[in-house]
Amino acid sequence: MERKIEEDTAPHEEGGDENPLWTLKQSRSEDGDDGVTLGCHASRTASKNQKVPTASLACRESVTGLGISRHASGGEAEVVEPEREDPCDRTISSLSSSFSSIVHPNLSSSSSSSCGSVLSLTPPLPPSVELSAVLTDTRLTLDVYQEGAAALPLLWGSVPERLRDLQYLRLGSEDKSGLDAALDVLPHLTGLRSLAIRGHCLCDSKGDPLPGLLTTLPDSVSTLSHLKHLDLSFNQLTCVPPCLLRLPALSVLLLCHNHISALPPDLGHLSSLTYLSLMGNKLLSVPPSVGQLKALQMLDVSHNVLQQLPDEIGSLGELVKLEVSHNKLKQLPESMGSLVSLRELVIYSNDLRVIPNCLNKLPLLKMYVRDNPLGKPPTPPPLPLVLDHTQTKVPKLHLKLNQQSFFVSSAGCHVFLPGGAELMFPPGCLMTTAKFRWAEKRPDRKWVWLEEHDILLSRPLELRPHGVGFLKPVEVCVPYHRAKRGEVVLRTFDGQSWSTLPTELRRGSEEHSCHPGGRPARLACSSVNHFSWFMAVSRPVRDTCSVTPAGALLVSSSDPGIKLHFPPDSTAQTRAITLQVLQVSELEVQALCGDPQARVSPLLCLSQTPTLHFLQPVRVQIPLPPGVTGHTADLSLLHLLHGDPTAQTWTDITSQVSLYVTHLYAIFYITHFSWYWLWYTTHRCVSGVVRKVYQRLKQFKVQFLVLQRKMDPAQVLLQCLPANKIEGRVQSLSEQYDGPQPSDLCDLLEGEQFFAGFERGLDIVTDRPDCVEGRLCFVFYSSLKNVKEVYVCPTQGQKGPVRGQVSFYRGEIPSNLPEEVARKRKGPDSQWLATLPLRLPALNSENRFNMEELQYPPLNLGDPESGYLTEANLLSVSLQIGQDWRVIGINLGMSYEELDRIQYKYRDNLGALVLDMLFHWARGQRNAGSGSVSRLVAAMIESGRRDLAEEIEDIVSLGRRKYTESLKRVGLETESSSLGEAQQ
């Protein structure tokens, strides 16, 4: 269905004609207040035909659903109106009785039965008022009498037994002293379900409504645990009373026409709220916690001064109507496209110039957009004032590991993230204060994209929310490891593919060094207009140019001796040309091909867009291999190789091209682009040698480490590093770890997968996401750590010391390998890389090694059906906890004394401190049942470590799936499911 937008008509302030929740028919008085004409029944002193404002009887009952009948077929709400009669003939008593019978038909009989006794309530009520006129079995109405609130303490003192079952109470708030006395009685009315304390219930002698004088509510109101409906409209509230956040059953809350300027950040505690009206206040913003009101169906924040809505408003999946008219909104968040239940959006009288396209995905949505400058260009901002540099300093914000989110105002901010990353928000990049989140992700082979010859230099950095635009570019700086060769660039991911950003390299701030006293981090920086994923990559230097029919000349920036000359008329259309130069070590080539006289020139990688042959040959100039000159060289040993990057093949094309040699350069002509490599070698079969050498040059010489923690031999560290980094790594680990010497040299490609298997009596817990068929999965990146720690134990039935081993095997065969190389990697033997010994000692007093605890991990939490974590899972989690360990311990329920004892015991060893804290808590959960895992997840979220909470949930989900599969294998799933159905 096509979305309908009405600009000339708007819904009523309190409800529209198509509101699926509430429908209200009302009149509007001359002073602008909504009301229902009730005649002279408001009080004996009121004039005839006086209008009672919105707080009048029928209006107040419409929101709670009282007096509304809903047809079973159509589901539309209808207000049942009373029969018309002469208003001057009705007394207060008859009016109250008639209105109760209209709004509450089920209460009419009880009203008549309760009028046997006459209680004088003078003062404050008129002398002729009977108790039955204001009180039924469950309802007390005191807001239609002058100073009626003062009658509540009188009633409580006279007939308390009649008030104990009270469910509906209406009070006026125009009398301060009477209201204060009435508030003292409220905590005793524990059965209340509906409470209204409103102003504008009565008018003065001039016909003006009397203002409400309520400024706050006592904390004792939080004892009204059954309260579902609360109306505090037309009062003097400046904030939401804190006691309201402790009313678990509250579903309808009206705070209209007060003086509230801000909402509490923990507004999300009102999880049962379905209707929230804040119309006519002074709100500047809506807190992000509004997204936690999952049951909310109607939200009214009209007639405020809002400039934007939070992105979290898109989490209100049950929202049916949103009223934001008469504000200062300039844009609507894209997250509103997720409001699948939204049927009515009232946005008139704002400063909206564009309606987001995301709202087109809501075909049943009806919008009211009049009085907005839609389609008009934005008003140019005033020229910025030139201030002194000292006055325009951008504030700085240093985040800790447990701070996964932060706020930035329009003044800008220089944000320092843990690990060395920096974000520079310039002044004016935001209109209002906004919330952002960050997270460092583990590189996943499925979506981390690397081009040929690329090296990953950093873990992907995710900045959220994605796609939110900035008024000025924001500088994103990602720390990276030093690259041996090539250029460093920053790449971003748009959800489908990676693209390269213009990158500037610099050092980070001195005050934000990764290590105390160390040098600042190397940063790859780029200015962006929105947030996404970012990572630093090293690649061969890239030079580009555009070639027109007039011709062009492209000179390499890394080697000026390399030139491409495009003659005139070589192309009929403009082409984008890219040149990359890969320098190759002469010693490596000689060692790989076995020819001590071999020499090679730089490798040329040429590409173009579009990929069409040139109309005229392109002249390519390349330096001769080192040590070779045109006067002394044997030209029969000079070979020009053509490489196909797709098929990973090399072909000798020396005899197929015009190759000229000068004293220092070789010149040849080509009509299409690819890879070109000039060799000087005595080998005759050059193509096969070059193919093998090129593949070996792409590989890294690596070594494997298998080390055991000295204090706990069951804790094993596994790591794979390039050979030149092994010695320094072993020295840094020698104080805490011990184990065999590193493995022999092996070859791995950048981004290649490999596995670690535990053999000969050793076993690990396989209920973890990175475990495949009993082996731990790794992905090798030469500039990253490639490290994991696990708990090992003897296989079941194994006793005494265990002399086992850890073997490393290749994983999936990379798709870009040559056929002969891939063929060699097939089969279990050819996939083997290295094997290192691993010994588990028997029980002794030195290391307190308990064999039975190793056989059966002692700190298993929960059960496989609801959630299960093993000792190895806990170890994996502990390795990711840093200085935020104390906050996590407090949220886990540990006492300060326990945390102080642990801190003193391991004051010089953060890793052991974290382990003792987490395992001490886990040992106390042995008899806690299935809820222990949920408590751990909740503690991580409260501590700001949502990344760890998500990892724990992934582990639990994997364990639950394996548990279900095991039930299927033994034939117990059908039996258990049928048993569950029988119990239901």
Side-chain angles (χ1 to χ4, degrees):
M1 181 183 296
E2 184 177 357
R3 174 168 52 91
K4 181 179 180 182
I5 302 179
E6 297 186 6
E7 296 187 8
D8 297 329
T9 62
H12 208 280
E13 292 292 332
E14 291 291 333
D17 295 339
E18 296 183 11
N19 188 349
L21 297 177
W22 297 276
T23 302
L24 180 63
K25 298 179 180 178
Q26 59 186 17
S27 62
R28 184 177 296 273
S29 61
E30 294 179 358
D31 58 0
D33 292 329
D34 299 328
V36 178
T37 303
L38 298 179
C40 61
H41 54 271
S43 68
R44 291 186 177 274
T45 59
S47 61
K48 288 187 177 182
N49 298 326
Q50 177 182 339
K51 292 183 179 180
V52 180
T54 309
S56 59
L57 303 177
C59 293
R60 289 198 304 275
E61 300 305 326
S62 64
V63 179
T64 63
L66 303 177
I68 298 178
S69 62
R70 188 179 295 274
H71 297 289
S73 58
E76 297 181 355
E78 177 182 359
V79 174
V80 182
E81 297 182 354
E83 297 180 359
R84 296 184 179 274
E85 55 182 288
D86 188 357
C88 295
D89 295 338
R90 304 176 64 187
T91 64
I92 297 176
S93 176
S94 62
L95 172 64
S96 300
S97 177
S98 301
F99 183 75
S100 295
S101 62
I102 292 170
V103 178
H104 298 284
N106 58 330
L107 299 178
S108 58
S109 60
S110 62
S111 175
S112 60
S113 64
S114 62
C115 60
S117 62
V118 178
L119 177 66
S120 176
L121 300 178
T122 56
L125 299 186
S128 61
V129 174
E130 298 178 350
L131 182 60
S132 60
V134 295
L135 178 63
T136 67
D137 287 345
T138 60
R139 179 182 181 87
L140 178 60
T141 303
L142 297 174
D143 59 347
V144 293
Y145 304 103
Q146 190 77 25
E147 301 179 355
L152 181 60
L154 295 178
L155 287 172
W156 178 253
S158 303
V159 285
E161 67 281 359
R162 298 288 304 274
L163 301 185
R164 296 189 189 278
D165 297 331
L166 203 63
Q167 296 184 17
Y168 305 95
L169 176 61
R170 300 290 179 266
L171 299 175
S173 58
E174 70 283 346
D175 176 28
K176 180 64 174 175
S177 59
L179 178 62
D180 292 341
L183 292 178
D184 294 335
V185 180
L186 286 182
H188 303 287
L189 309 179
T190 56
L192 275 183
R193 300 184 62 186
S194 176
L195 174 63
I197 308 176
R198 294 176 53 119
H200 284 207
C201 293
L202 300 173
C203 298
D204 57 16
S205 58
K206 297 181 181 180
D208 297 328
L210 295 173
L213 302 179
L214 179 69
T215 58
T216 186
L217 286 178
D219 289 341
S220 56
V221 173
S222 61
T223 61
L224 304 178
S225 58
H226 300 288
L227 192 64
K228 291 187 175 182
H229 166 264
L230 180 61
D231 187 354
L232 304 177
S233 303
F234 296 96
N235 279 292
Q236 308 295 322
L237 298 175
T238 57
C239 63
V240 178
C243 60
L244 301 187
L245 303 179
R246 300 191 295 273
L247 297 175
L250 192 63
S251 62
V252 178
L253 178 59
L254 294 95
L255 301 172
C256 312
H257 298 287
N258 280 278
H259 304 285
I260 301 174
S261 59
L263 297 177
D266 49 352
L267 183 66
H269 290 176
L270 297 174
S271 57
S272 301
L273 210 59
T274 60
Y275 186 107
L276 176 60
S277 179
L278 294 157
M279 177 180 64
N281 280 280
K282 301 178 181 180
L283 292 178
L284 298 174
S285 62
V286 177
S289 58
V290 72
Q292 302 175 19
L293 304 177
K294 301 300 183 182
L296 195 64
Q297 300 179 30
M298 197 283 185
L299 176 61
D300 186 352
V301 288
S302 60
H303 293 271
N304 282 279
V305 286
L306 299 176
Q307 295 187 0
Q308 68 175 8
L309 296 176
D311 290 334
E312 288 77 3
I313 201 169
S315 303
L316 302 178
E318 299 297 323
L319 193 65
V320 176
K321 181 179 179 180
L322 177 59
E323 165 73 72
V324 292
S325 61
H326 294 281
N327 278 286
K328 298 182 180 181
L329 297 177
K330 298 182 180 297
Q331 62 181 5
L332 297 177
E334 291 290 335
S335 61
M336 290 182 63
S338 303
L339 299 176
V340 294
S341 300
L342 192 63
R343 296 295 180 268
E344 189 172 0
L345 177 61
V346 184
I347 54 176
Y348 61 78
S349 299
N350 277 284
D351 194 21
L352 297 172
R353 302 177 187 272
V354 178
I355 301 297
N357 293 329
C358 64
L359 296 179
N360 294 328
K361 301 177 182 178
L362 307 176
L364 301 180
L365 178 63
K366 184 177 181 180
M367 293 196 298
Y368 301 89
V369 299
R370 62 179 173 84
D371 295 334
N372 278 289
L374 294 175
K376 297 181 180 179
T379 304
L383 295 176
L385 298 176
V386 179
L387 301 177
D388 184 70
H389 180 71
T390 58
Q391 299 179 359
T392 58
K393 273 191 174 182
V394 177
K396 297 181 180 181
L397 176 62
H398 293 263
L399 299 182
K400 299 180 181 180
L401 281 173
N402 61 338
Q403 293 177 295
Q404 300 297 316
S405 62
F406 57 93
F407 291 88
V408 178
S409 67
S410 59
C413 189
H414 192 176
V415 183
F416 299 90
L417 303 181
E422 298 181 16
L423 306 175
M424 182 62 185
F425 295 84
C429 66
L430 296 170
M431 291 293 295
T432 58
T433 300
K435 181 179 181 180
F436 299 96
R437 296 180 176 87
W438 71 276
E440 271 194 345
K441 301 293 185 179
R442 292 182 178 179
D444 191 337
R445 296 175 65 246
K446 296 181 179 180
W447 62 277
V448 171
W449 169 68
L450 296 178
E451 295 180 350
E452 194 77 18
H453 310 121
D454 283 356
I455 303 297
L456 183 64
L457 300 181
S458 71
R459 298 179 67 178
L461 174 64
E462 182 184 10
L463 300 175
R464 293 180 293 172
H466 299 165
V468 176
F470 300 108
L471 301 179
K472 294 181 180 180
V474 174
E475 187 179 44
V476 177
C477 297
V478 177
Y480 66 90
H481 298 275
R482 181 176 56 184
K484 287 185 177 180
R485 56 194 178 190
E487 62 179 350
V488 178
V489 295
L490 200 61
R491 288 200 178 135
T492 183
F493 186 67
D494 59 5
Q496 296 181 349
S497 60
W498 289 89
S499 58
T500 303
L501 300 172
T503 306
E504 177 185 357
L505 304 182
R506 63 176 177 85
R507 285 280 184 175
S509 303
E510 294 286 345
E511 57 184 330
H512 191 55
S513 175
C514 294
H515 304 284
R519 297 188 63 186
R522 297 180 176 87
L523 298 178
C525 305
S526 182
S527 297
V528 299
N529 293 316
H530 60 83
F531 277 170
S532 181
W533 289 269
F534 303 91
M535 66 179 184
V537 172
S538 171
R539 69 179 185 185
V541 178
R542 178 172 296 187
D543 300 295
T544 60
C545 75
S546 296
V547 178
T548 64
L553 175 65
L554 177 60
V555 181
S556 171
S557 59
S558 60
D559 189 342
I562 300 176
K563 300 179 181 179
L564 304 180
H565 180 261
F566 301 88
D569 300 326
S570 59
T571 178
Q573 57 183 322
T574 302
R575 305 191 188 196
I577 305 299
T578 301
L579 165 64
Q580 286 182 290
V581 177
L582 183 63
Q583 301 289 344
V584 181
S585 170
E586 175 183 326
L587 296 178
E588 289 187 52
V589 171
Q590 294 175 354
L592 293 174
C593 69
D595 181 5
Q597 299 183 12
R599 304 286 190 275
V600 293
S601 66
L603 171 61
L604 302 186
C605 301
L606 307 177
S607 60
Q608 61 170 333
T609 303
T611 57
L612 301 174
H613 281 52
F614 289 96
L615 303 179
Q616 299 291 336
V618 177
R619 182 175 182 266
V620 180
Q621 173 183 299
I622 186 172
L624 289 171
V628 178
T629 64
H631 299 297
T632 61
D634 183 356
L635 298 183
S636 63
L637 304 181
L638 197 62
H639 303 269
L640 180 63
L641 281 300
H642 169 271
D644 186 343
T646 303
Q648 293 283 317
T649 58
W650 290 90
T651 306
D652 189 350
I653 60 171
T654 308
S655 60
Q656 304 173 19
V657 298
S658 300
L659 181 61
Y660 301 94
V661 177
T662 66
H663 181 62
L664 298 176
Y665 299 99
I667 300 172
F668 56 94
Y669 293 84
I670 54 177
T671 57
H672 70 281
F673 277 179
S674 186
W675 292 353
Y676 296 93
W677 204 357
L678 189 63
W679 273 61
Y680 187 84
T681 179
T682 58
H683 284 284
R684 294 187 177 182
C685 185
V686 182
S687 299
V689 173
V690 173
R691 183 164 55 249
K692 295 178 181 179
V693 170
Y694 174 75
Q695 186 59 37
R696 295 291 296 275
L697 288 174
K698 290 174 58 179
Q699 296 176 341
F700 289 86
K701 297 292 183 181
V702 301
Q703 290 178 278
F704 297 96
L705 291 176
V706 176
L707 301 175
Q708 295 172 276
R709 187 177 287 273
K710 293 180 179 180
M711 298 181 59
D712 186 2
Q715 184 178 342
V716 179
L717 179 144
L718 308 175
Q719 190 168 14
C720 176
L721 289 174
N724 60 338
K725 300 180 180 181
I726 284 290
E727 184 177 355
R729 178 61 173 169
V730 172
Q731 291 181 357
S732 64
L733 296 174
S734 59
E735 292 185 2
Q736 301 181 26
Y737 292 86
D738 193 10
Q741 291 296 316
S743 70
D744 294 334
L745 293 177
C746 303
D747 295 324
L748 283 178
L749 297 170
E750 182 79 6
E752 185 173 1
Q753 192 177 47
F754 66 94
F755 296 89
F758 296 82
E759 302 165 349
R760 299 182 60 181
L762 294 178
D763 196 7
I764 62 170
V765 179
T766 59
D767 290 336
R768 46 187 294 167
D770 58 349
C771 193
V772 180
E773 297 180 355
R775 296 178 176 180
L776 284 182
C777 176
F778 292 78
V779 179
F780 172 75
Y781 292 102
S782 57
S783 295
L784 303 186
K785 294 183 178 180
N786 312 309
V787 61
K788 291 185 180 181
E789 289 197 55
V790 296
Y791 261 108
V792 299
C793 61
T795 56
Q796 191 169 4
Q798 185 80 23
K799 296 183 179 180
V802 179
R803 297 183 179 274
Q805 64 184 26
V806 180
S807 296
F808 296 89
Y809 300 89
R810 298 186 188 277
E812 298 177 1
I813 301 175
S815 58
N816 57 352
L817 283 181
E819 181 179 354
E820 66 273 9
V821 178
R823 190 185 307 116
K824 292 181 179 179
R825 295 190 172 201
K826 293 181 179 179
D829 294 335
S830 59
Q831 290 181 335
W832 172 82
L833 291 168
T835 297
L836 292 173
L838 181 62
R839 180 181 181 272
L840 286 181
L843 177 64
N844 58 64
S845 58
E846 181 179 354
N847 55 23
R848 296 174 296 176
F849 199 80
N850 192 325
M851 186 60 65
E852 292 185 0
E853 289 186 356
L854 291 176
Q855 293 179 6
Y856 306 98
L859 298 180
N860 296 342
L861 298 179
D863 59 85
E865 293 183 349
S866 59
Y868 187 75
L869 286 181
T870 65
E871 187 177 51
N873 300 145
L874 289 174
L875 172 62
S876 177
V877 171
S878 68
L879 295 176
Q880 303 179 56
I881 299 176
Q883 297 295 338
D884 51 347
W885 68 274
R886 192 176 183 90
V887 178
I888 296 175
I890 293 174
N891 290 325
L892 285 173
M894 299 180 64
S895 65
Y896 289 95
E897 292 79 8
E898 292 175 328
L899 296 175
D900 291 337
R901 178 187 58 80
I902 295 174
Q903 185 174 14
Y904 179 80
K905 182 178 179 181
Y906 301 100
R907 53 189 178 274
D908 297 326
N909 190 339
L910 179 61
L913 186 150
V914 173
L915 274 176
D916 196 5
M917 180 275 295
L918 189 60
F919 279 37
H920 178 80
W921 172 82
R923 282 190 290 269
Q925 303 295 312
R926 291 177 184 270
N927 302 320
S930 58
S932 56
V933 177
S934 301
R935 286 190 289 273
L936 181 59
V937 172
M940 292 301 177
I941 295 177
E942 292 177 5
S943 305
R945 295 303 303 270
R946 186 171 292 274
D947 56 331
L948 289 181
E950 293 174 353
E951 180 174 335
I952 295 172
E953 291 173 348
D954 291 342
I955 295 172
V956 170
S957 177
L958 178 63
R960 190 180 296 115
R961 185 173 68 251
K962 290 186 176 181
Y963 178 75
T964 303
E965 293 173 355
S966 65
L967 291 181
K968 290 181 180 179
R969 287 195 296 269
V970 298
L972 293 178
E973 183 185 38
T974 304
E975 179 181 350
S976 61
S977 60
S978 62
L979 180 60
E981 295 175 357
Q983 292 176 351
Q984 293 178 356

